[in-house]
Structure formats: structure tokens, C-alpha cells
Amino acid sequence: MLQLLLPAVNLKICEPLLLIKPKINRLLKMTNNDAAVEAPSSSRASSSKQQPKLEITERVRVLCLHGYRQDGDAFKNKLGSFRKFTSKYAEFVFISAPHIAAPLESAAEPVPQQRSWWANKDDGTFKGTNKGGPAFGFQESLRLVEAAWKTQGPFQGLLGFSQGACFVGLICGLAKKKLTSIRPEFAVLSSGFVSGSLVHMSAYEEPISIPTLHIYGLTDEIIPKDMSASLASHFKNVEILEHSGGHYFPATAQQKQTYINFFQDRLQEYLEHLELQQSSSVSFVESDDDGDANDAEVAAATAAAGSDLDDSD
């Protein structure tokens, strides 16, 4: 049985995980098909093939949501160093918002690479500090993310920056209330904030318990740190990473170990979950085999009894 580790909190380095991870990987190399080959009886192999196939991987998969006036490709490029730090533990998939952001100047042409998840002002633009406004296009964006979660998955986590981090917070709240098909097991929110749109208020009614890493800059003038801290207050299992800069996703040597620790813990939890799931599947197969054997014994005894009755007649 694997040693269970508590999730990392307060940015502590989890050194024992480095010793346990190779052991977990060795234990989880076997797929269901391999188990069927190694099963001692043909009946067990047959039953094993009927179980849902568990696809064992060695990295968690994370769906990433960019900020306002970005797209998936631009966000991916900006996270090059971050992805390098965490590549042993996580795979990141980037998608683009469905809406083209309104141009910065009214007379200018829209730029296709500048995307928006929704608009919260009547002129079709978005500003994180806007309060009490609408959420034009939000439902379409939610459907797009739900489709990506289903068709490009499986995913275990969400990651977002700025408007994307606000979106991730909303999705986590909706998932808590079972109002979306997305079920994140953890989330990373950089320069995030609570949405000021009135239609989003209900998403923050219940505290969210999944592990989250909140990142924000102490000199951020676009999304002040207090706004990011307010978003973090809606989560219960929180790690905070502050940096001295502004409105960007930091990925320097100072943040490297925090990122590694966070995704090591997430991978540990994911592999333990898969092992428990696989163990339950094996127990179910063994239980079925015992049941088949008992049924065979009962059938044999019934047949014998029937034969004796025929002889007596």
C-alpha cells in the first residue's frame, strides 16, 4: 500500500515525495490489458477485460485559459519557462476564447489574435475592475471550455491568467454547485480576481475545497493584489505565491521550486487515486470469480441431488 502524503501547504518543500514517486510509477506501469495477461485463470482474464480501461499516465493534464487580448498560442509562448520547470509532472493544453476583443480605438480594426472570454461593459470591452456590469458572451465561452474538457481530455486541472484566472475561479464555483460538466481536481490562478458581473455572484456562494495555487504581483496596477487575495479567500485549500512584479505570470528561479512542489503533490494525488481505482477494479473481479465458483458448486450439488431423486423414483 502506498504511503499517503498530505497536500503541501504554505509553500513547504515536499522532499519525501521525491523518494516515493519512482515507487508509484513502477506500481502503476500495469494497464488493464497487462493485468489480463498475468491473470492465473482464463475466467479472470475474461472478467478483467470487461472492466473500464484505466489509462495510466505519469503527468497530470491541465487546461489553460489565457488573459484578455491574448490567445492560446500567445499564452503558451509566455509560459515557456514555467512549462519547462513543471514538464516532468504536468502537460498543458492551451485553447483560445471564442470572441475577438473589441479594438482599443473605436476606428481601429479588431485583431483576430486578441481574444476575450466575455465582455463586462456595454461597449463590448472588458475591464477586471468593472463592477455590476453584464457578462456578454460568457455562456458561449463556458460551452467551448466544457467541450475542450470533454474532447481534448482527460484533464485533472485548470490554469488561468487574469481574465482566464477569473474564469477558472468561476468554473470552480460552478463545479462546486454542479452547474457545469467540468470537474477540476486543482487549479492555478495567476493575477485572478472575483468577477464583478452580477450574473456571476452565485458562483462564489460556497467555499471551494480543491487545492489551488494563487499567484499575484505586489505592484500589479491592472489587477491589484487585494483583488487577487479576495479571489483566494473563496478557496479553502490555498497556497499563495507573491512576486515583486506587476501584471504577468512569473517564472524565474525564485518561483521554480514552488511550482515543482505544487505539481509534484498534484501528480502524487492523481497516481494514488488511480491506484485505488485499479485496486477496486481488481477486488471487484476477484469477487466475481468467487461468485462464479460458488455458482458452479451450487449447480453441481443441485444436479447431484436431482440425480438421487431420479434413482429413488
Side-chain angles (χ1 to χ4, degrees):
M1 179 60 66
L2 295 175
Q3 178 183 355
L4 296 179
L5 296 178
L6 294 174
V9 295
N10 298 328
L11 310 182
K12 292 182 180 179
I13 298 175
C14 189
E15 292 180 353
L17 181 58
L18 298 176
L19 302 176
I20 294 174
K21 179 177 179 289
K23 179 181 178 182
I24 294 176
N25 288 343
R26 288 196 300 271
L27 289 173
L28 295 180
K29 289 292 185 182
M30 182 184 297
T31 64
N32 278 2
N33 289 337
D34 294 331
V37 171
E38 294 187 8
S41 66
S42 59
S43 63
R44 177 169 297 180
S46 176
S47 298
S48 177
K49 291 180 180 179
Q50 296 175 4
Q51 302 306 311
K53 183 177 179 180
L54 293 176
E55 183 177 350
I56 307 302
T57 66
E58 296 185 358
R59 295 192 295 175
V60 291
R61 301 186 75 241
V62 184
L63 187 61
C64 304
L65 308 183
H66 59 77
Y68 184 58
R69 296 193 184 280
Q70 289 182 333
D71 66 2
D73 290 338
F75 190 37
K76 180 178 180 179
N77 292 335
K78 288 181 179 295
L79 264 60
S81 296
F82 168 80
R83 291 187 290 113
K84 184 177 180 180
F85 292 158
T86 57
S87 60
K88 291 182 180 180
Y89 316 105
E91 175 187 354
F92 301 95
V93 175
F94 296 80
I95 59 174
S96 296
H99 311 292
I100 299 177
L104 290 171
E105 299 179 4
S106 58
E109 291 292 326
V111 180
Q113 290 76 25
Q114 295 184 359
R115 315 294 291 190
S116 171
W117 295 108
W118 71 93
N120 65 359
K121 300 179 71 176
D122 291 336
D123 62 1
T125 62
F126 179 88
K127 190 172 183 179
T129 55
N130 193 46
K131 301 295 182 182
F136 298 132
F138 176 80
Q139 289 300 324
E140 184 178 352
S141 291
L142 179 60
R143 288 193 294 269
L144 182 146
V145 177
E146 288 175 335
W149 185 269
K150 179 179 179 180
T151 61
Q152 300 185 46
F155 294 103
Q156 288 74 50
L158 290 169
L159 179 150
F161 171 72
S162 195
Q163 189 189 38
C166 177
F167 200 178
V168 167
L170 287 168
I171 292 172
C172 291
L174 294 174
K176 174 74 174 180
K177 303 181 76 170
K178 296 181 171 57
L179 296 177
T180 176
S181 58
I182 302 171
R183 294 290 185 271
E185 298 170 21
F186 63 86
V188 178
L189 307 95
S190 178
S191 298
F193 52 94
V194 173
S195 173
S197 297
L198 295 176
V199 295
H200 291 157
M201 293 299 99
S202 62
Y204 303 104
E205 290 177 346
E206 300 180 23
I208 302 161
S209 58
I210 64 172
T212 51
L213 174 61
H214 297 258
I215 308 161
Y216 52 82
L218 298 179
T219 59
D220 192 334
E221 296 181 355
I222 298 176
I223 302 297
K225 65 174 185 177
D226 291 344
M227 292 181 64
S228 294
S230 177
L231 175 62
S233 70
H234 291 278
F235 292 81
K236 296 166 62 176
N237 190 354
V238 174
E239 293 185 43
I240 302 293
L241 175 59
E242 296 180 344
H243 62 94
S244 59
H247 193 68
Y248 60 84
F249 197 117
T252 68
Q254 289 181 301
Q255 295 89 33
K256 178 178 179 180
Q257 196 59 52
T258 297
Y259 294 146
I260 289 174
N261 291 345
F262 182 81
F263 282 101
Q264 279 181 338
D265 288 345
R266 305 292 77 78
L267 179 59
Q268 170 81 2
E269 293 165 354
Y270 173 59
L271 293 177
E272 288 175 353
H273 172 75
L274 286 181
E275 190 199 17
L276 291 173
Q277 193 175 9
Q278 193 172 49
S279 298
S280 299
S281 177
V282 171
S283 299
F284 179 75
V285 171
E286 291 177 349
S287 175
D288 282 352
D289 289 341
D290 293 342
D292 292 343
N294 291 336
D295 290 344
E297 292 177 2
V298 171
T302 302
S307 177
D308 292 342
L309 288 174
D310 290 342
D311 290 341
S312 64
D313 290 342

